[in-house]
Amino acid sequence: MHRPLTLQARLMTAVIGFVSLILIIVAVITSATLGTALEGQLAEQVRSLSLRTTSLVTKASIPAAVRNAPLTAQIAMENVAPPASGLLLAIAAPGSGASGVVVSGTGELRDLTARELADIDDALAGRSTGTITLDGRGSTSYQLVVTQTSVTEFSDNINVVTGLPRDAIQSTLAQLLTVITLATLGGLILLALTTMVTIRYSLRPLRAVAGTATRVANQPLDRGEVEITERVPASEADPRTETGIVGASLNKLLDHVNDSLAARQRNEELMRKFVADASHELRTPLASIRGYSELSLRALRQGVDAGGTETALERIQAQSLRMTRLVEDLLLLARLDEGQELVHSTVDLTQLALEGVSDARPTGPDHVWHIDVPDEPVTMLGDAGRLHQVIANLLANARTHTPPGTEITLGVAKEGTEAVIRVHDDGPGIDPDVRDELFARFARGDSSRARQTGGTGLGLAIVKAIVEGHRGTISVESEPGDTTFTVRFPITTASESAVAGSPSA
């Protein structure tokens, strides 16, 4: 199976590939430019030299014509002192045929063969300039220029071919290519090392992220109390860099996951506590029902009934009612959590407050009850039955957990866009240790308030669920002699609710 390239390998391949392509293009352009310049320079030298050789051939042709002797390249080269190294001279004179010589590096003249002369003629093919490679001369390439000179002693013009070797150009280009190649290889090696170090340093935050993610992945997160302490180091999580953003984002994600796991653990603990509390609350009435029912059955079997059966049935009924209230409260909380219990309509909180205090007075005749409501009714959109339950539970909580003679005040007011309900008492206050769990299910304040009657510990939890179902908030402030529960509801009319719930909203 083909192993995929790493990010570092892909980046290095891309960088080195592009740089290599650029260097090759630069080398080709440089070589071509230099070659063209050298070729032009050599062509200028050949043209300049051709003027001299043509002049020499003209001078040599006159005595040759007088003596009726053949005019050859050797005779013309006798007047060249010293001859240029590598100079090629070929002459085609009337009556003398073609001849040519090449000056060697030691200054010796070497005659051109008939084949080489024919090759020169083919290379020029009627043009004034051209190039040719003479295999018999070590595969040397020559730059050629053809000139003509006329002598009265000859019936036709004399063609003079002058050439210089192109070895210097080829040697210069070869040296240039060698230097470029070596410099390119050295530069690419240095580039590869620099790129590798830079990429490794730049990708270090990603490796830190991968290491942190791997260590977190190996932690057991599915059970028990879990805390994710692994984080990407701050030096590798700089949000000002691209790779640092990844580390910072992972740290933020781990913070959220850790908070979620902590919340899950708290929920599990609350659920276990809730199940234990519910089991305890149900066990007591069930044990009473079982005991009294067994007592009644025993009395019936023995035919003895001294009023105990009636008493047992009364206790069974009382415990059944207690258990029924508990189950109904739990069912109400479940429905409120699902948002299925509230039926909204326009509610007058002032009227509910008056009714709540009227209902509370008979149940707490040894308490002092006060009500503080405005002259104008305070209305909102909500569930009248559940809002009445909020007031009743708060008043019952104040009555149950305060001693006789305590003054309890129920107040209703409109503050800006909110409807506010306050229940105040001058009792002993709430123990700070239980204040944070006051609205939890099955929570009780027994340590600070003497509870005179039994309760399930769901009253304030139901109040909180109903208030939140109306998008409201509930808070408590307590110190000895001054305890206030404050409930705030956003005031929403029926027309505003209809607009908010319309498709166009």
Side-chain angles (χ1 to χ4, degrees):
M1 184 176 179
H2 179 65
R3 183 179 179 182
L5 293 176
T6 63
L7 177 60
Q8 178 176 338
R10 290 198 297 268
L11 290 175
M12 290 186 62
T13 301
V15 171
I16 295 175
F18 281 120
V19 173
S20 299
L21 179 61
I22 293 173
L23 292 178
I24 290 174
I25 294 175
V26 170
V28 171
I29 294 175
T30 302
S31 301
T33 303
L34 180 60
T36 302
L38 293 176
E39 291 283 355
Q41 184 179 0
L42 180 62
E44 185 64 28
Q45 292 177 356
V46 174
R47 282 193 295 270
S48 177
L49 185 59
S50 67
L51 297 177
R52 179 183 174 190
T53 55
T54 302
S55 176
L56 294 175
V57 170
T58 302
K59 293 179 180 179
S61 64
I62 297 175
V66 172
R67 296 193 307 268
N68 197 20
L71 177 62
T72 63
Q74 292 84 350
I75 296 174
M77 287 296 292
E78 291 177 356
N79 296 320
V80 179
S85 177
L87 173 63
L88 180 148
L89 180 62
I91 299 175
S96 301
S99 63
V101 294
V102 174
V103 180
S104 66
T106 59
E108 298 180 357
L109 300 180
R110 299 182 182 275
D111 295 334
L112 295 176
T113 63
R115 175 62 181 274
E116 291 173 338
L117 292 172
D119 291 340
I120 292 173
D121 185 61
D122 293 338
L124 293 172
R127 297 189 299 271
S128 60
T129 61
T131 59
I132 187 174
T133 300
L134 299 179
D135 296 333
R137 306 293 169 179
S139 299
T140 302
S141 178
Y142 288 87
Q143 178 74 33
L144 305 178
V145 173
V146 180
T147 57
Q148 292 184 342
T149 179
S150 60
V151 180
T152 56
E153 285 78 9
F154 292 92
S155 58
D156 295 326
N157 293 332
I158 302 174
N159 293 326
V160 180
V161 178
T162 306
L164 287 175
R166 301 175 66 248
D167 294 345
I169 297 176
Q170 296 174 348
S171 176
T172 301
L173 292 178
Q175 292 177 2
L176 176 64
L177 292 176
T178 301
V179 171
I180 290 177
T181 301
L182 295 177
T184 299
L185 291 177
L188 290 177
I189 293 174
L190 180 61
L191 175 65
L193 294 176
T194 304
T195 304
M196 180 178 65
V197 172
T198 302
I199 293 176
R200 287 182 64 86
Y201 178 80
S202 300
L203 295 181
R204 187 171 62 182
L206 293 182
R207 288 192 291 272
V209 169
T212 302
T214 301
R215 290 190 295 272
V216 172
N218 292 331
Q219 286 187 247
L221 306 177
D222 57 337
R223 60 187 180 277
E225 185 174 357
V226 179
E227 182 179 3
I228 302 177
T229 58
E230 294 289 345
R231 294 292 186 277
V232 179
S235 59
E236 310 297 345
D238 188 353
R240 295 173 299 178
T241 63
E242 291 81 356
T243 52
I245 292 176
V246 180
S249 300
L250 180 61
N251 283 345
K252 186 175 181 180
L253 173 63
L254 292 178
D255 290 339
H256 288 323
V257 172
N258 195 53
D259 293 341
S260 299
L261 291 174
R264 184 209 67 181
Q265 182 64 22
R266 288 194 299 270
N267 289 336
E268 289 181 357
E269 293 175 354
L270 291 175
M271 182 60 67
R272 286 194 293 267
K273 186 176 182 299
F274 172 78
V275 173
D277 291 340
S279 301
H280 175 74
E281 292 291 339
L282 290 173
R283 182 177 62 182
T284 301
L286 287 174
S288 298
I289 291 172
R290 180 180 177 182
Y292 283 112
S293 63
E294 289 178 354
L295 179 62
S296 299
L297 288 174
R298 187 180 301 113
L300 290 175
R301 290 191 184 107
Q302 295 176 356
V304 179
D305 185 8
T309 301
E310 183 178 356
T311 302
L313 291 175
E314 290 176 353
R315 295 303 301 163
I316 290 174
Q317 183 183 29
Q319 295 299 329
S320 298
L321 291 175
R322 178 183 177 187
M323 190 165 55
T324 299
R325 288 195 300 271
L326 174 62
V327 173
E328 288 178 348
D329 287 345
L330 292 175
L331 181 60
L332 173 60
L333 284 173
R335 290 177 175 175
L336 289 174
D337 289 341
E338 296 177 358
Q340 300 177 356
E341 189 66 19
L342 301 178
V343 179
H344 290 79
S345 60
T346 301
V347 180
D348 185 353
L349 292 180
T350 304
Q351 182 64 32
L352 290 182
L354 294 173
E355 294 174 358
V357 173
S358 298
D359 295 338
R361 279 196 176 101
T363 61
D366 50 358
H367 286 70
V368 180
W369 300 91
H370 301 284
I371 187 167
D372 180 14
V373 295
D375 296 334
E376 296 294 330
V378 178
T379 60
M380 60 171 287
L381 189 67
D383 190 314
R386 296 308 171 197
L387 292 175
H388 183 276
Q389 189 174 5
V390 168
I391 295 175
N393 284 7
L394 290 176
L395 293 176
N397 179 75
R399 182 197 74 240
T400 302
H401 298 290
T402 55
T406 301
E407 294 187 4
I408 302 175
T409 303
L410 172 63
V412 176
K414 180 180 179 181
E415 298 179 359
T417 59
E418 293 181 330
V420 182
I421 299 175
R422 289 187 177 90
V423 177
H424 174 269
D425 67 73
D426 56 358
I430 303 173
D431 187 347
D433 294 336
V434 301
R435 189 178 302 169
D436 294 337
E437 299 179 356
L438 198 60
F439 298 100
R441 298 173 186 184
F442 296 107
R444 297 189 182 91
D446 297 338
S447 60
S448 62
R449 294 190 176 193
R451 189 178 61 180
Q452 299 174 349
T453 60
T456 61
L458 296 176
L460 292 181
I462 292 175
V463 169
K464 185 174 185 293
I466 294 175
V467 170
E468 291 180 346
H470 286 81
R471 296 181 300 159
T473 60
I474 183 170
S475 61
V476 60
E477 296 178 358
S478 180
E479 59 183 25
D482 184 8
T483 299
T484 303
F485 284 84
T486 303
V487 180
R488 296 181 178 273
F489 295 107
I491 296 178
T492 305
T493 63
S495 59
E496 291 174 344
S497 177
V499 172
S502 64
S504 61

